[in-house]
Amino acid sequence: MDQCVTVERELEKVQQKFSGYGQLCERSLEELIQYAGGLRREILQTENQDGDLSGTISLVMTQCCKRIKDTVQKLASDHKDIHSSVSRVGKAIDKNFDSDISSVGIDGCWQADSQRILNEVMVEHFFRQGMLDVAEELCQALLNLFQHLNPMWELKRVLCTCDLQSIVWAVSNREMLMAQNSSLEFKLHRLYFISLLMGGTANQREALQYAKNFQPFALNHQKDIQVLMGSLVYLRQGIENSPYVHLLDANQWADICDIFTRDACALLGLSVESPLSVSFSAGCVALPALINIKAVIEQRQCTGVWNQKDELPIEVDLGKKCWYHSIFACPILRQQTTDNNPPMKLVCGHIISRDALNKMFNGSKLKCPYCPMEQSPGDAKQIFF
């Protein structure tokens, strides 16, 4: 993170200089135009006067050319200074970031199955971003699944134009949305009702008619419906001039987009965030620590420290944002459980790893390491978090 801040600081300097340079150019050129225009007017005024003014005009034109030349040279010098600032940004990037990250890779980690998963993640990411043409070129297999999410790509446009397309989608998926306690359909109806309120008394009859759509949600959203119906009293003076002005909060449009994305992905069994984006962000956090530990291993010639494909030699804290599931560490072996070494619940209720279970039982009996209860190892059951 410190490296990013350092580079951002250099980049801000370039942006400030570029902005100042642009203003200086405009100001200098405007001054030259005014100066040259003033000279032209003076020369035209002296044409009708008696006397030889050619020498004076020649001197004035020489001074004018010199001023223009000096201004251009000053602007060129300042432009060169901007180039040096841009060069310092490149040097800051080279100094603070390692361009070669191949040292942290493990040979053989990209097997055929891993490559297939990576390809699927990339295709899924493009579908999520609405870049269907790119995704179709990469893979046709996931197209049918993600076409169901097409309304999500157009949701902001749909809501801003008060189109009923998103509401039709929610109504058609009402049962599944209600099964996961989603408030999406109600909030879409609510926003459309508010859009009618914004039209004033001209939409009063239509708003009353549309209010019938709130009936299926009367039990769970009674107070919200009461507020919406109460706002009808202030249609004549305008909702923006009433105690119900909060209904016009622009943040509601952004909130409904997030809810739509979350619920639509949940219906299709997909994560809200793109796995590719999550993996990339996690990699950016973990990469500096991995490069450092790799350098230490090579410097101290520690062999065999990093030879596991599914386990890192150090703990990398990615923050709570990247916590997606529970992690159980065996209290006996002090190792995280894996698919090959899952957590096992003993009859007494204590939990240890399968490897610890296999190492601790003697003959046909196992004594719990936390309580004196003896039991058969076969009674232990695998648990899932």
Side-chain angles (χ1 to χ4, degrees), residues 258-277:
D258 293 337
I259 295 173
F260 190 97
T261 303
R262 182 195 65 203
D263 292 348
C265 288
L267 288 183
L268 296 175
L270 302 171
S271 60
V272 176
E273 297 181 86
S274 165
L276 183 62
S277 298

Side-chain angles (χ1 to χ4, degrees), residues 25-37 67 71:
C25 284
E26 292 181 3
R27 186 169 60 251
S28 300
L29 293 176
E30 185 64 30
E31 290 175 356
L32 285 178
I33 291 173
Q34 293 178 358
Y35 175 67
R67 180 170 177 176
T71 301

Side-chain angles (χ1 to χ4, degrees), residues 113-130:
D113 189 57
S114 300
Q115 188 65 48
R116 177 186 58 79
I117 293 174
L118 177 61
N119 292 337
E120 290 181 2
V121 168
M122 292 176 62
V123 172
E124 178 181 330
H125 179 78
F126 287 121
F127 276 126
R128 285 174 177 275
Q129 300 301 316

Side-chain angles (χ1 to χ4, degrees), residues 73-328:
Q73 288 179 344
K74 176 66 169 58
L75 294 177
S77 176
D78 292 343
H79 192 268
K80 249 184 220 182
D81 187 46
I82 293 179
H83 274 287
S84 63
S85 298
V86 173
S87 177
R88 282 194 291 271
V89 172
K91 291 178 181 178
I93 293 174
D94 294 337
K95 181 179 178 181
N96 290 277
F97 296 97
D98 194 337
S99 58
D100 182 16
I101 61 174
S102 59
S103 60
V104 299
I106 300 178
D107 296 335
C109 65
W110 290 110
Q111 303 296 336
D113 189 57
S114 300
Q115 188 65 48
R116 177 186 58 79
I117 293 174
L118 177 61
N119 292 337
E120 290 181 2
V121 168
M122 292 176 62
V123 172
E124 178 181 330
H125 179 78
F126 287 121
F127 276 126
R128 285 174 177 275
Q129 300 301 316
M131 303 170 67
L132 300 183
D133 294 340
V134 177
E136 285 180 41
E137 292 295 328
L138 293 177
C139 181
Q140 290 286 339
L142 298 177
L143 180 60
N144 293 334
L145 173 63
F146 280 89
Q147 278 182 332
H148 293 297
L149 283 179
N150 277 346
M152 186 167 63
W153 319 135
E154 300 294 330
L155 181 59
K156 289 184 179 179
R157 180 191 63 78
V158 167
L159 292 178
C160 289
T161 56
C162 296
D163 198 315
L164 291 175
Q165 179 182 343
S166 56
I167 298 178
V168 171
W169 182 91
V171 171
S172 63
N173 293 275
R174 176 179 295 176
E175 292 185 4
M176 290 185 289
L177 289 171
M178 286 188 169
Q180 62 184 30
N181 296 321
S182 171
S183 60
L184 175 62
E185 184 183 350
F186 169 74
K187 290 189 174 182
L188 287 172
H189 285 303
R190 180 177 179 272
L191 283 180
Y192 190 79
F193 184 83
I194 291 173
S195 70
L196 294 177
L197 297 180
M198 293 169 65
T201 55
N203 292 339
Q204 183 174 1
R205 185 180 296 276
E206 185 179 356
L208 287 171
Q209 185 68 22
Y210 191 81
K212 295 179 180 179
N213 290 287
F214 295 133
Q215 184 177 355
F217 312 99
L219 183 62
N220 296 326
H221 300 278
Q222 181 178 359
K223 290 185 178 180
D224 289 332
I225 296 173
Q226 289 174 347
V227 170
L228 292 172
M229 302 312 296
S231 65
L232 291 170
V233 178
Y234 295 89
L235 280 184
R236 189 174 297 278
Q237 69 182 64
I239 301 299
E240 65 277 6
N241 301 316
S242 73
Y244 297 92
V245 65
H246 65 276
L247 295 176
L248 307 181
D249 189 355
N251 290 332
Q252 295 180 98
W253 307 102
D255 292 341
I256 198 65
C257 288
D258 293 337
I259 295 173
F260 190 97
T261 303
R262 182 195 65 203
D263 292 348
C265 288
L267 288 183
L268 296 175
L270 302 171
S271 60
V272 176
E273 297 181 86
S274 165
L276 183 62
S277 298
V278 173
S279 301
F280 180 79
S281 300
C284 290
V285 175
L287 193 57
L290 297 180
I291 292 176
N292 290 337
I293 189 63
K294 191 70 175 181
V296 171
I297 292 174
E298 292 176 352
Q299 182 180 3
R300 298 186 180 181
Q301 297 181 351
C302 303
T303 59
V305 177
W306 195 348
N307 54 12
Q308 297 293 326
K309 295 180 181 179
D310 59 348
E311 185 176 338
L312 298 176
I314 58 173
E315 181 178 355
V316 179
D317 185 10
L318 299 179
K320 292 185 177 180
K321 184 179 179 181
C322 290
W323 288 6
Y324 295 100
H325 55 81
S326 300
I327 297 175
F328 177 76

